[in-house]
Amino acid sequence: MDLKLLLVSILFGVFCFSNAQKEGNECINANAKYCGECIQAGAKCGWCKDPEFLKQGETVSTRCDELQSLIKRGCDDDMIENPRGDQKILENKAVTNRGRGEGKQKSEARLKLKPEEITQIQPQKLSLVLRSGEPQSFDLKFKRAEDYPIDLYYLMDLSYSMKDDLENVKNLGTSLMLEMSKITSDFRIGFGSFVEKTVMPYISTTPAKLLNPCTGDQNCTSPFSYKNVLKLTSDGKKFNTLVGKQHISGNLDSPEGGFDAIMQVAVCGDHIGWRNVTRLLVFSTDAGFHFAGDGKLGGIVLPNDGKCHLENNIYTMSHYYDYPSIAHLVQKLSDNNIQTIFAVTEEFQPVYKELKNLIPKSAVGTLSANSSNVINLIIDAYNSLSSEVILENSKLPEGVTMAYTSHCKNGVVNEGESGRKCSNISIGDQVMFSITVTSKGCPKQGKPETIKIKPLGFTEEVEITLNFICECECNQDGIENSELCHFGNSTYECGACKCNEGRVGRQCECSSNDVATEDMDRTCRKDNGTDICSNNGDCVCGTCECKKRDNPEERYSGQYCECDNFNCDRSGNKLCGGHGHCECRVCVCDPMWTRSACDCSLDNSTCMASNQQLCNGRGTCECGTCKCTDPKFQGPTCETCPTCPGVCTEHKECIQCRAFGTGEKKETCERDCSDFNLIKVKEREKLPQPNDASYPVMHCKERDANDCWFYYTYAVNNNTQKEVHVVDILDCPAGPDIIPIVAGVVAGIVLIGLALLLIWKLLMIIHDRREFAKFEKEKMNAKWDTGENPIYKSAVTTVVNPKYEGK
């Protein structure tokens, strides 16, 4: 199982590497036949126009390559065609700094500015020169102008369910004018109404119902699709008067024909009176909406044409054209810079919120049952819409892409689709957009194209003229029917022949009908062999044109494509050891390098020892490396002797500090003791033994300041790296056992005391015996005279009883 996973991983890695090479090789893969085709392949591609650039066997397309590769192959900078893109700002009017409430003297001139004189976006016009694959970036500034004019058109559903709402809207004009005067000094308002298509089954077509669609004693006006009641005006009282004359109408089904009305409001600019200012459309209803396809219920199958059909301010083609689709409405609202506010009742909030997500720069507000909150709803929705700027661009030419990055308030940066917009913008705030335009190829034969960028809901826009680089500059110096190209069979341009139709070959010397004849193939076989162009190329006009490799650094060459620059000897996994280049499968070494793989250096400086002797006088220098003749010496210059006396002492301090953190070099250990690899082992038996290693190993035993022994080995391995194996446990002498010592001392004192007493006693006994024996001896030798002491009186007195008779 593991073997299968390994094999899959290897194949996947090879596949990814191959794809990465192909993707990174756009210049080679383009197989360009002339300079213009080359520069369209990518921004990194250049064309060498040097006539002597091509080697034998190389095709014309090998003139097209990445710049560094062309220079490396011998093409001078001034012979490389590499045109670059450019940009030029044609109109750059500064954004308007305009304020209100600064006093009449200061602000009078500003307040009199016409809408077309106010600038909110900069620059306004620029020209870009695009080279395929090379992005061109520019910055676009947007500043929300203060006191910017506003046109507001109130479009109201006048079906019967909106009866109470109409009463509140009748006084909307003057009230809304008063509130909007806090935002702008230039405000206009208009009014329109809608009900439904005037055909069955949307309304009742009986004569009585056509006159009064309401039931009972309700007096209603005849049903209609859309009516433009009041053109945009700055007269709020006129709004109140005309709206006050409106009457409720009626229809049969619940969804209304509001989409027909929105379409007419959007496209009938002259009838509505739209100016090039902020355009707001307030859509007020308490019901859903019909959309494209619903007209079939009334037998209407023609799609909405998106054109104005107002006669006497009434939509006259509702019975002829179907309802518009949502996408159609989005397009027309966007084209006419109209921002929509849906003022709908709570019941239909979910429906219109979904619709809002489909219509850019639109908002949804909750309308009270009788529309009493409509002014606050409009103000809130306007503030929400105007606080966000969203950029959109017109349709791009084929192959052209645009990327946006927004730099909004408080340092917020967005990219991708979010890079088109900034939110929470207040009046007077300024934001920046970085826009990058990139072209791939040359759209429409290089003809200039014009695109436009504008913020949604605003009339201002940026006009960008795109010019495409499709040909090289040297193309202008081309010579048609040049004699340099086989009797004038092509145009000689940019150092190569651009063949006429039907001609092939490097000099267009052959007809395309004769390129594969046996006679021509014979001249492409080396030594009359069987392989055409050594199986590394194609025979074109009797001349080998060598195949290309995925790797642009690898090439076939030679008369028969028998040579290449990638099959030479390698060293260290590098072609020619990295010290030469491959020519026809043979390494051509750089100076001071030799051998077949250029892996032998002729520089002896790397063999010079510290005593300025080659290999310390104990070896020979071969290819910049010392071969030590004395087996005791090692290292790059034969100066290391791991088994010589003094090695253990020399490294003692460094071993202490690195292995145990002690010793005299404890503070400078990292600086002075980093020239060897330290390997710790647990036991002395695990230290390397001389017989086990293929290089000399020195065993060392040293003692530290605490009389502890530590054991290690020192060696220089086969890679000339110093290795030290050390036992990580110190061998320290055991400390004295206090209790036995104290007990012994006490016992010794007691025993010595007893012994002394015994000796004293013995001596006393001996002394006494000697004295007694002496006494006895003297007693026996003494001669005493017998006599009584005259003063002696015997202590014994004898008394005789007189009456004793002795019986």
Side-chain angles (χ1 to χ4, degrees):
M1 188 67 178
D2 293 340
L3 184 60
K4 289 183 179 179
L5 290 174
L6 179 62
L7 182 60
V8 171
S9 300
I10 293 174
L11 292 175
F12 181 73
V14 171
F15 174 76
C16 291
F17 177 75
S18 175
N19 282 350
Q21 281 191 327
K22 290 181 180 179
E23 289 176 1
N25 240 340
E26 55 187 2
C27 308
I28 296 293
N29 293 339
N31 198 28
K33 297 297 188 297
Y34 58 94
C35 186
E37 191 176 0
C38 174
I39 63 173
Q40 292 180 42
K44 297 180 180 179
C45 301
W47 177 273
C48 184
K49 59 183 179 182
D50 185 355
E52 305 299 326
F53 175 70
L54 294 182
K55 296 180 181 179
Q56 192 172 31
E58 291 183 337
T59 61
V60 174
S61 61
T62 56
R63 290 182 178 274
C64 182
D65 206 340
E66 295 183 357
L67 303 182
Q68 294 300 322
S69 180
L70 291 175
I71 294 172
K72 188 176 180 180
R73 290 167 57 193
C75 189
D76 295 335
D77 283 341
D78 57 352
M79 297 300 289
I80 297 177
E81 282 288 320
N82 181 35
R84 311 311 300 175
D86 194 12
Q87 56 181 267
K88 184 178 181 181
I89 297 178
L90 304 178
E91 186 176 341
N92 194 30
K93 184 179 177 182
V95 292
T96 302
N97 291 314
R98 184 189 189 201
R100 300 180 66 247
E102 301 178 7
K104 292 184 178 179
Q105 291 78 12
K106 290 185 178 181
S107 62
E108 184 176 358
R110 294 179 179 176
L111 293 175
K112 290 183 178 179
L113 284 176
K114 297 180 180 179
E116 58 269 18
E117 295 174 338
I118 300 175
T119 302
Q120 298 185 105
I121 193 166
Q122 179 187 0
Q124 296 79 39
K125 200 172 191 179
L126 66 157
S127 173
L128 300 182
V129 178
L130 299 179
R131 158 85 185 272
S132 178
E134 180 189 25
Q136 290 292 328
S137 299
F138 63 93
D139 291 333
L140 189 149
K141 182 189 301 182
F142 178 86
K143 182 176 182 180
R144 185 180 166 194
E146 301 179 39
D147 196 28
Y148 194 70
I150 298 174
D151 284 353
L152 185 147
Y153 191 84
Y154 197 93
L155 182 60
M156 184 175 181
D157 176 8
L158 285 188
S159 58
Y160 186 77
S161 58
M162 294 287 285
K163 179 180 180 180
D164 55 345
D165 300 80
L166 180 59
E167 295 302 318
N168 286 310
V169 174
K170 288 179 180 180
N171 297 318
L172 178 65
T174 52
S175 301
L176 188 58
M177 292 287 286
L178 180 63
E179 289 296 325
M180 293 301 289
S181 66
K182 300 175 183 179
I183 299 174
T184 178
S185 60
D186 188 358
F187 176 71
R188 299 197 311 168
I189 188 171
F191 184 82
S193 58
F194 67 90
V195 181
E196 186 56 278
K197 288 184 179 296
T198 55
V199 295
M200 282 288 289
Y202 312 110
I203 67 168
S204 175
T205 55
T206 61
K209 290 293 183 182
L210 287 176
L211 291 175
N212 183 4
C214 300
T215 59
D217 58 350
Q218 297 292 334
N219 186 22
C220 297
T221 189
S222 299
F224 57 90
S225 176
Y226 161 67
K227 184 188 299 182
N228 177 27
V229 178
L230 176 64
K231 189 175 181 179
L232 288 166
T233 179
S234 57
D235 188 350
K237 293 182 179 179
K238 185 177 181 180
F239 179 94
N240 292 348
T241 301
L242 287 177
V243 174
K245 297 178 180 179
Q246 301 305 305
H247 296 284
I248 292 297
S249 184
N251 62 318
L252 296 179
D253 61 343
S254 176
E256 314 293 2
F259 276 16
D260 274 341
I262 294 176
M263 176 63 75
Q264 293 303 301
V265 172
V267 299
C268 298
D270 293 338
H271 294 80
I272 305 299
W274 293 120
R275 298 177 295 171
N276 286 330
V277 297
T278 299
R279 300 175 176 180
L280 300 178
L281 170 61
V282 179
F283 182 85
S284 175
T285 184
D286 64 349
F289 49 83
H290 285 296
F291 53 89
D294 288 354
K296 292 180 180 178
L297 294 173
I300 303 173
V301 295
L302 284 178
N304 194 287
D305 64 352
K307 296 180 180 180
C308 182
H309 297 287
L310 291 185
E311 294 182 11
N312 296 323
N313 289 321
I314 295 177
Y315 180 39
T316 59
M317 301 296 286
S318 67
H319 64 287
Y320 191 76
Y321 289 115
D322 193 5
Y323 302 98
S325 66
I326 295 176
H328 200 179
L329 272 186
V330 170
Q331 178 193 349
K332 292 301 181 180
L333 290 171
S334 176
D335 290 346
N336 292 280
N337 306 304
I338 297 174
Q339 304 177 62
T340 310
I341 300 172
F342 295 104
V344 297
T345 54
E346 182 70 31
E347 179 185 358
F348 288 93
Q349 280 286 307
V351 175
Y352 281 91
K353 283 183 178 179
E354 290 296 327
L355 181 61
K356 166 190 169 294
N357 295 333
L358 301 175
I359 301 179
K361 292 293 281 186
S362 62
V364 177
T366 303
L367 191 68
S368 61
N370 58 3
S371 297
S372 58
N373 68 331
V374 67
I375 293 180
N376 291 333
L377 186 153
I378 292 173
I379 298 297
D380 292 342
Y382 169 74
N383 289 331
S384 173
L385 289 173
S386 60
S387 67
E388 183 177 58
V389 57
I390 303 174
L391 296 185
E392 69 168 359
N393 53 266
S394 59
K395 185 178 179 181
L396 298 175
E398 184 180 357
V400 176
T401 59
M402 296 186 72
Y404 294 81
T405 301
S406 60
H407 303 270
C408 308
K409 288 177 60 177
N410 303 321
V412 177
V413 178
N414 298 313
E415 296 180 345
E417 280 302 309
S418 298
R420 291 176 175 264
K421 66 180 180 180
C422 279
S423 302
N424 301 320
I425 301 174
S426 303
I427 293 176
D429 286 343
Q430 179 175 295
V431 293
M432 296 289 292
F433 294 89
S434 296
I435 302 174
T436 301
V437 183
T438 308
S439 169
K440 184 63 178 176
C442 197
K444 293 188 177 179
Q445 294 77 44
K447 293 181 180 179
E449 297 277 353
T450 299
I451 60 174
K452 294 181 179 181
I453 301 175
K454 69 175 183 179
L456 283 174
F458 295 86
T459 57
E460 297 175 67
E461 61 188 14
V462 180
E463 183 178 304
I464 306 173
T465 302
L466 304 180
N467 300 285
F468 303 95
I469 300 176
C470 296
E471 290 291 348
C472 301
E473 293 181 6
C474 59
N475 172 261
Q476 301 175 3
D477 301 326
I479 304 173
E480 294 185 3
N481 303 319
S482 172
E483 292 298 324
L484 296 173
C485 302
H486 196 73
F487 303 110
N489 285 322
S490 68
T491 300
Y492 184 79
E493 63 178 45
C494 302
C497 293
K498 184 177 180 181
C499 297
N500 295 335
E501 187 175 355
R503 305 298 297 182
V504 293
R506 185 185 290 189
Q507 295 182 333
C508 309
E509 64 270 27
C510 292
S511 169
S512 57
N513 297 325
D514 303 327
V515 294
T517 64
E518 183 64 29
D519 291 337
M520 289 184 179
D521 287 349
R522 188 179 297 112
T523 61
C524 296
R525 294 189 178 97
K526 185 179 180 181
D527 300 329
N528 292 324
T530 58
D531 295 334
I532 296 178
C533 299
S534 306
N535 288 332
N536 295 324
D538 299 316
C539 187
V540 180
C541 297
T543 303
C544 285
E545 290 191 356
C546 302
K547 295 178 181 177
K548 296 178 183 178
R549 304 270 298 175
D550 290 335
N551 188 340
E553 301 295 328
E554 298 177 356
R555 291 181 298 276
Y556 292 109
S557 61
Q559 181 180 355
Y560 303 101
C561 301
E562 74 279 11
C563 297
D564 62 59
N565 67 342
F566 54 87
N567 273 323
C568 291
D569 290 342
R570 294 176 179 267
S571 178
N573 202 30
K574 293 182 179 180
L575 190 67
C576 297
H579 304 296
H581 61 276
C582 182
E583 290 187 5
C584 203
R585 303 185 179 181
V586 176
C587 284
V588 178
C589 299
D590 296 337
M592 300 301 293
W593 292 90
T594 185
R595 287 192 181 173
S596 62
C598 300
D599 56 353
C600 181
S601 174
L602 300 178
D603 184 8
N604 291 337
S605 61
T606 55
C607 296
M608 196 66 67
S610 57
N611 58 7
Q612 300 304 310
Q613 288 185 323
L614 283 177
C615 300
N616 196 28
R618 290 183 169 85
T620 58
C621 185
E622 298 180 8
C623 297
T625 303
C626 283
K627 301 293 184 182
C628 301
T629 54
D630 190 335
K632 293 192 299 182
F633 287 86
Q634 295 177 287
T637 54
C638 300
E639 293 182 274
T640 305
C641 181
T643 59
C644 293
V647 171
C648 293
T649 305
E650 178 184 352
H651 294 86
K652 171 185 174 182
E653 297 297 336
C654 283
I655 302 300
Q656 274 188 270
C657 75
R658 287 191 58 182
F660 307 107
T662 61
E664 296 179 1
K665 294 187 177 182
K666 178 181 178 181
E667 302 299 330
T668 61
C669 190
E670 186 174 350
R671 183 190 69 194
D672 299 337
C673 302
S674 58
D675 60 335
F676 59 86
N677 296 328
L678 184 71
I679 304 168
K680 293 183 179 181
V681 297
K682 297 294 183 182
E683 302 171 355
R684 290 180 61 184
E685 289 75 14
K686 294 185 178 180
L687 290 173
Q689 302 302 317
N691 296 332
D692 297 338
S694 59
Y695 45 84
V697 178
M698 183 69 175
H699 280 255
C700 300
K701 174 183 178 182
E702 295 292 337
R703 186 163 56 186
D704 62 12
N706 298 321
D707 286 334
C708 293
W709 295 95
F710 56 95
Y711 304 90
Y712 64 94
T713 62
Y714 178 84
V716 179
N717 62 24
N718 294 329
N719 295 326
T720 69
Q721 294 177 338
K722 297 178 182 179
E723 279 187 359
V724 174
H725 290 72
V726 62
V727 180
D728 61 358
I729 300 176
L730 292 169
D731 185 7
C732 298
D737 195 347
I738 302 300
I739 294 177
I741 292 176
V742 173
V745 170
V746 172
I749 292 173
V750 173
L751 290 175
I752 291 172
L754 291 174
L756 290 174
L757 288 174
L758 290 173
I759 293 172
W760 177 78
K761 183 65 176 177
L762 180 62
L763 291 175
M764 291 301 294
I765 292 174
I766 294 172
H767 180 269
D768 288 347
R769 286 183 178 180
R770 285 179 179 176
E771 289 296 322
F772 181 74
K774 183 178 178 181
F775 170 74
E776 289 291 333
K777 184 177 179 180
E778 288 180 352
K779 179 180 178 183
M780 290 180 63
N781 294 332
K783 294 180 179 181
W784 302 94
D785 291 334
T786 304
E788 292 184 0
N789 189 352
I791 64 174
Y792 173 76
K793 185 176 182 179
S794 176
V796 179
T797 301
T798 305
V799 179
V800 178
N801 189 356
K803 290 183 177 183
Y804 180 69
E805 292 180 354
K807 291 183 180 178

